[in-house]
Amino acid sequence: MIRRLVFAANWKMHLGPGPASDYLGRFLAATPPRDGRTLLFFPPAASLLTVAAALQERSDARAGAQNIHWEPKGAFTGEMSVGIAQEAGAAGALVGHSERRHVFGETDQQTGFKVRALLAAAMDVMLCVGETLAEREAGLTEEVCLRQLAAGLADVAPTQLPQVMIAYEPVWAIGTGRNATPVDAATVHNAIRSALTERDATAHIPVLYGGSVNAGNAAALLAQPAIDGVLVGGASLDPDGWAQICATEA
Ligand code: 13P
């Protein structure tokens, strides 16, 4: 059976519409669709339309927003609703990325609001969880990740779970060049998987790893059966390098 894998690029605050268009021209030419592989791009909001248009012919690839607000409209300067993201071509969104949590103070409760707003609009959710270095050193890794998971998925019906993906991104591994060993990551993935199975044993929810993934370590991470894909920041910004990672044999 072909293994299903998800390769997700989080461009963070890089690649405006012009560079995004050039990037995708190059990347898509180098990356033909492959059975069982899904490609996701999370560009800055201003590039969503461009990215979604560039991916239109590719049923294996989708664009998503990096963040959304849970309210459908209103006086929320600087925020983007689910409806606006959808109109700009987003099929889903990241929720609870560590930078949202730790730089912008997003709470567990807010991640739950965002997840429910996306699911209500039949959009995909990539819920991100992960511990800080202090939490890891205090032995709290699984407790923190499972708490974030439970808060993010609060009041989510089992029928909505197929719209959800999880990304385990240890905060200390993001952008630091330090990544969890494949075995350490798989341990956390297995704990997340058990919690998901308790909710619904039948829903297959991909659990991705993120945090300093690059062309040199992607194969070892994806060799772990518990790791269903990767969510990549820095190493997704170069189209050739990202094409190489998306071609990883696993
Ligand atoms: P890096 O791949 O740059 O460590 O970022 C990971 C990340 O935050 C993806 O969402």
Side-chain angles (χ1 to χ4, degrees):
M1 205 173 79
I2 293 169
R3 194 166 166 219
R4 302 200 69 79
L5 290 173
V6 180
F7 293 84
N10 175 8
W11 289 349
K12 307 191 180 185
M13 206 164 70
H14 302 276
L15 299 173
S21 178
D22 295 346
Y23 174 115
L24 285 170
R26 203 174 162 97
F27 170 83
L28 293 172
T31 311
R34 274 178 69 166
D35 280 354
R37 295 205 174 193
T38 300
L39 310 175
L40 302 177
F41 290 89
F42 296 94
S47 302
L48 262 175
L49 264 177
T50 304
V51 171
L55 300 179
Q56 218 163 22
E57 305 294 314
R58 292 283 297 249
S59 59
D60 61 323
R62 298 195 290 277
Q66 294 176 9
N67 182 36
I68 52 97
H69 195 278
W70 57 88
E71 291 292 346
K73 60 184 170 198
F76 300 103
T77 301
E79 294 292 322
M80 178 166 63
S81 69
V82 170
I84 292 173
Q86 200 165 31
E87 195 182 331
L94 298 176
V95 176
H97 187 275
S98 92
E99 286 140 26
R100 298 304 319 167
R101 294 178 190 269
H102 298 290
V103 182
F104 298 101
E106 186 169 310
T107 65
D108 282 353
Q109 189 189 32
Q110 289 169 338
T111 65
F113 294 157
K114 293 180 182 199
V115 168
R116 291 197 291 281
L118 285 158
L119 294 178
M123 303 257 286
D124 294 335
V125 171
M126 175 85 74
L127 174 65
C128 307
V129 301
E131 81 287 3
T132 63
L133 185 58
E135 288 163 341
R136 168 160 285 247
E137 286 173 348
L140 297 173
T141 297
E142 286 185 21
E143 187 180 321
V144 168
C145 293
L146 297 182
R147 187 200 76 223
Q148 293 174 342
L149 187 73
L153 297 183
D155 300 319
V156 171
T159 52
Q160 294 176 307
L161 285 177
Q163 283 166 249
V164 175
M165 287 170 271
I166 307 297
Y168 168 54
E169 298 204 300
V171 179
W172 48 271
I174 295 177
T176 57
R178 244 184 104 178
N179 66 327
T181 65
V183 172
D184 281 352
T187 304
V188 183
H189 279 234
N190 284 325
I192 292 171
R193 172 69 58 210
S194 301
L196 293 171
T197 304
E198 272 174 36
R199 287 174 165 266
D200 183 351
T202 61
H204 184 74
I205 300 178
V207 182
L208 280 58
Y209 171 80
S212 296
V213 174
N214 57 42
N217 59 28
L221 287 159
L222 292 171
Q224 293 290 329
I227 299 181
D228 302 313
V230 286
L231 175 59
V232 182
S236 75
L237 294 177
D238 165 57
D240 301 327
W242 183 232
Q244 192 187 343
I245 292 174
C246 292
T248 303
E249 292 307 333

